[in-house]
Amino acid sequence: MPRRLSDEEARELGIETLHQLMDNGEKRFRLIGSDGTSYIRTEASNEGGWQNSHFHKGLTEFYVVQSGWLVYAELSVEGKLSLRSMKRGDSIMVHPFIHHNLYMSPYTVTHVVKYGSDDVIQTDWFPSLELDKLTRHIPESELLKI
């Protein structure tokens, strides 16, 4: 039978947990590797809301919708906004330098795997104020039409 590793043993091996209640009410449960990679389970609050727009320089993100629905927003290199509605079972791969954001409807649950090359910097998260300006004002009633 497998032996359970303690949190201390995991830390010694370069793996930590970080669980947070975000400003928008989301709950995030993280498993983080010392190489900058991670797994995150996100549970939306009872109210829908936008996350913070961002991009990564070395990490690729793989998003999976477990339940509920969300809207994925992406800003092209030309500055064009695209929106994609995603439901249970849908997934999307987001490559480095792609500015992106999510609107998570109430009670939506997602899983995100972040991975990259060996030279990933520890804090590979950069805000995208340009994308926030294009998305923050879009209400859920408009997103439901996508």
Side-chain angles (χ1 to χ4, degrees):
M1 174 174 265
R3 180 180 70 81
R4 180 180 172 162
L5 293 173
S6 70
D7 289 345
E8 183 178 321
E9 287 174 301
R11 271 191 299 281
E12 289 171 1
L13 294 167
I15 304 295
E16 295 201 44
T17 59
L18 175 63
H19 309 308
Q20 297 175 301
L21 179 60
M22 308 305 286
D23 291 342
N24 64 2
E26 289 179 358
K27 293 182 239 32
R28 296 202 187 163
F29 305 92
R30 292 183 174 94
L31 183 64
I32 304 168
S34 59
D35 58 359
T37 62
S38 63
Y39 159 79
I40 306 166
R41 176 189 171 102
T42 302
E43 299 177 356
S45 71
N46 60 347
E47 294 183 18
W50 285 100
Q51 295 183 345
N52 293 315
S53 298
H54 65 283
F55 67 96
H56 304 281
K57 292 183 179 180
L59 290 173
T60 296
E61 293 181 298
F62 180 65
Y63 287 87
V64 178
V65 181
Q66 177 176 317
S67 61
W69 64 270
L70 60 82
V71 171
Y72 169 80
E74 184 175 294
L75 187 62
S76 72
V77 177
E78 299 80 25
K80 182 181 176 199
L81 173 66
S82 64
L83 300 172
R84 173 181 166 184
S85 181
M86 297 174 63
K87 63 185 181 329
R88 179 183 176 157
D90 289 343
S91 62
I92 192 165
M93 185 85 64
V94 182
H95 296 283
F97 294 100
I98 301 297
H99 294 233
H100 60 284
N101 198 358
L102 295 179
Y103 178 90
M104 290 185 55
S105 68
Y107 305 109
T108 294
V109 176
T110 61
H111 301 276
V112 181
V113 177
K114 296 184 180 191
Y115 62 95
S117 63
D118 291 337
D119 60 349
V120 171
I121 58 175
Q122 195 64 17
T123 304
D124 187 5
W125 190 97
F126 302 91
S128 176
L129 301 178
E130 308 93 323
L131 184 53
D132 272 343
K133 288 177 188 173
L134 295 173
T135 57
R136 291 278 180 174
H137 68 280
I138 304 173
E140 186 173 291
S141 58
E142 289 299 313
L143 298 173
L144 283 166
K145 298 175 186 176
I146 297 173

